[in-house]
Amino acid sequence: SACEQQKADFGSAFKHVEYVECSSPGSHTFDLCPDIVSTPTWEKADRSQFTGARSLSDLAAEFGCEDKI
């Protein structure tokens, strides 16, 4: 899945990502997060959201982080 790929992209740094699972075990819907319609969904501090798998460089730019890739 795109979420699993994004986790893999982060490698050991994923432990610094605030992650919320939005599907119950065995579910293919986002039953635990009714406001989510697509994953991965990224939420910024101002609560604005954007969806889709992104490169680490794109995420760094979106969140204002220094890109050290």
Side-chain angles (χ1 to χ4, degrees):
S1 76
C3 290
E4 292 302 318
Q5 182 57 53
Q6 291 279 226
K7 289 179 190 178
D9 291 346
F10 275 90
S12 63
F14 188 74
K15 65 185 174 202
H16 301 288
V17 175
E18 185 177 333
Y19 175 80
V20 175
E21 179 57 57
C22 288
S23 298
S24 297
S27 174
H28 296 290
T29 65
F30 310 122
D31 59 323
L32 302 178
C33 305
D35 59 327
I36 301 297
V37 296
S38 178
T39 59
T41 296
W42 301 94
E43 184 172 278
K44 297 173 78 172
D46 66 4
R47 305 207 42 103
S48 63
Q49 297 178 343
F50 58 97
T51 62
R54 308 288 174 105
S55 70
L56 294 181
S57 294
D58 287 348
L59 290 170
E62 187 71 44
F63 283 94
C65 299
E66 186 175 329
D67 184 1
K68 293 190 175 199
I69 300 170

